[in-house]
Structures are given as C-alpha cells and as structure tokens.
Amino acid sequence: MNLSLEGRTYVIMGVANKRSIAWGIARALHEAGARLVFTYVGERFGNSVRELAETLEGQEPLFYECDVTDDESIIQTFESIGKDVGTIHGLAHCIAFANREELKGEFLNTSRDGFLTAQNISSYSLTAVARAAKPLMTEGGSILTMTYLGGEKVVQNYNVMGVAKASLDANMRYLASNLGKDNIRVNAISAGPIRTLSAKGVGDFNSILTEIEERAPLRRAVTQEEVGDTAYYLMSDLSRGVTGEIIHVDSGFNIIG
Ligand code: NDP
Ligand code: N5H
C-alpha cells in the first residue's frame, strides 16, 4: 500500500502558533508528502501561520482567512480553495472556543450566549465546513476533528466546552453516516492535555498534567507530534475502513476509572 500522501491536498484549520495541535498535524502530513492549505482568523494569526509554513521545505502552501462563525466566509474560503487547487483529499478541523470566564467555577452559571458561542464555534462549524468542503472531495476524503475526554466524562472546569465536545462527537458521527456514500470518512482524535494557546490560563494546567503523569497507563503527557502521526493515519489509506470513530491519543488515560 502507498503510504505517501504525495499528490494529495489537505486543508488545515486552526494553526494559531507553533504549539497548536493543527501545526503538529501539518508537520506530519507535510513529512508524508502532502500539499497543504491553511485557514486562519485575524491578521495576527495570518502572519504567524505564514511564518511557520515558510519553514516547511518544498511546500508552497496557500492561505485563506476563514471565520467559522460566518457562513459566507466558509463558503468563500472553500470556493477559493476549489478554484486554486481543485480537488482536496482531507480536512483537519482544529477549532474550538468558549468564553474564558465559563471555563471555571459552577457549570450551573453557564449563560445562554456562552453556551451558544461554544456550540457555534466548536461544534456547528464542523457541519458547515464539511458541507462547503464536500464538493472539493471528488475522489472521496477524510475529515478529522479534535475532541477531548471532557465531552464523554465530567472533567472539572471544562464545563460548557464539555457539552460542546459531546455535541461535536455526535456531529462527527452523523456526518460520518451521511458522507459515507460519497467515500468521505469523518473521525475525531481525542487528545490528552497539551500546553497550547487555548490551554493557557485555563484551570490549573500543571495539576492536570501531573495527574496524567501519575495515573495514565503510559505515565506521561502526549505531544503534538503524536497527535500528528494519528492524523496522518486517519488521512492515509491505512485507515480506509475507519469512520465515525474517536481515537484517543491520550497515553490511555480515558480507560482509567
Ligand atoms: P490553539 O489555541 O492552538 O488553536 C485553537 C484554534 O481555534 C485557533 O487557531 C483559533 O484561531 C481557532 N478559532 C477560534 N475561533 C475561531 C473562529 N471563529 N474561526 C476560525 N478559527 C477559530 O489550541 P489547540 O491546538 O489546543 O486546539 C485545537 C483543537 O484541539 C481544539 O478543538 C481543542 O478543543 C482541541 N483539543 C485540545 C487539547 C489540548 O490539551 N490542547 C486537548 C484535546 C482537544 P485564532 O487563533 O486565529 O483565533
Ligand atoms: C479541563 C481542562 C482545563 C479547563 C478548560 C479548558 C478549555 C479549553 C478549550 C477552549 C477552546 C479554550 C478557549 O476557548 C480559550 C479562550 O477563552 C481564550 N483564548 C483565546 O481566545 C486564544 C487567544 C485563542 C487562540 O484560543 C481560541 N480557542 O480561539 C481542559 C484541558 C486539560 C485540555 C484542553 C485545553 C482541551 C481543549 O479542548 O483545548
């Protein structure tokens, strides 16, 4: 079987900086020979994703600004990608957001606005993006999203984002069921805690990592590279029979009671 991704094009959404999980995925797919297309929001992150992408040797990546709260922005982005590259073979959705003040304290106090914002950016965006990307997946494809254990079990402080990830997980399964007939697979990676910009300033990240080091089967945290390698598997033909699945890349922490 050909494990190279040469001749294939993948859209990576959600690189904010070099610590982003999306960047770990981008590097793994680049090493496998893939052509990459990046989307970002806001000029600040546009510049940083450009600088990072320039470090990928032999790659002439393309960049598009895409705010997933805006249907028009999503449609425009994928129309432009279609015009510029034609067929795409996969998409990595590495996007989530909730108001910082609702990622601690009493879940009971979650506001309607905060709840809907988390659902809008962190879950619905997958449906909207899949719909816009589908016409470009003329040879079938693989859509991947990022989830967290807090959508399956109650994790302290994850709160409104836990409900959004439960929604994202179901969203992923319904999309997998819907798009299977088009040979488009849809899966999620559930990553263990990784220190990224999103993780900054939320909860007590150090104590969460200490718990992983003490209790996870592998007794260590996972890295962006490890998530990237599983993303490579999901984008490659090795995973051709896999859809609607959540793969935990979390040192096995989810099996511990
Ligand atoms: P990053 O902060 O690096 O990435 C989050 C990304 O979400 C940013 O690139 C951000 O773009 C993007 N984003 C937010 N709002 C919007 C929007 N309206 N439109 C488009 N993009 C938007 O963090 P991570 O790499 O940690 O997060 C990536 C994914 O991984 C998330 O889904 C997260 O929940 C998940 N995850 C993370 C874990 C961790 O421990 N870090 C564990 C398990 C899952 P911008 O910066 O341009 O605003
Ligand atoms: C149990 C935990 C720790 C507590 C909860 C953390 C939840 C994090 C997820 C969301 C996505 C973080 C978030 O929206 C932060 C924003 O309010 C503020 N940050 C920003 O706006 C920055 C600038 C941008 C880049 O961030 C985004 N997202 O746009 C969970 C952790 C152990 C694991 C974890 C960190 C999970 C996860 O889903 O990311």
Side-chain angles (χ1 to χ4, degrees), residues 113-136:
D113 266 4
F115 187 96
L116 294 176
T117 295
Q119 290 285 335
N120 188 16
I121 300 182
S122 316
S123 178
Y124 179 71
S125 63
L126 181 69
T127 315
V129 161
R131 185 166 59 245
K134 179 175 173 264
L136 309 188

Side-chain angles (χ1 to χ4, degrees), residues 96-98 100 103 148 155-156 158 161 193 197-199 202 208:
F97 182 86
R100 182 163 286 176
L103 296 170
Y148 179 61
V155 174
Q156 205 183 2
Y158 204 58
M161 189 51 74
L197 191 55
S198 278
V202 285
I208 295 170

Side-chain angles (χ1 to χ4, degrees), residues 146-156 158-170 172-173 188-192 244-250 252-256:
M146 292 303 309
T147 191
Y148 179 61
L149 184 64
E152 301 174 63
K153 301 268 166 65
V154 173
V155 174
Q156 205 183 2
Y158 204 58
N159 292 3
V160 67
M161 189 51 74
V163 183
K165 289 300 192 193
S167 159
L168 176 72
D169 295 352
M172 177 277 291
R173 287 188 288 269
I189 295 177
S190 180
E245 189 71 276
I246 298 176
I247 302 184
H248 293 84
V249 180
D250 67 345
F253 186 71
N254 73 95
I255 67 168
I256 301 298

Side-chain angles (χ1 to χ4, degrees), residues 17 30 36 59 68 135 142 156 172-173 179 193-195 198-199 203 208 216 224 226 230:
N17 61 27
H30 167 73
L36 301 180
Q59 186 78 237
V68 297
S142 174
Q156 205 183 2
M172 177 277 291
R173 287 188 288 269
L179 295 175
I194 299 178
R195 209 182 288 278
S198 278
I208 295 170
Q224 286 88 337
E226 288 168 329
T230 294

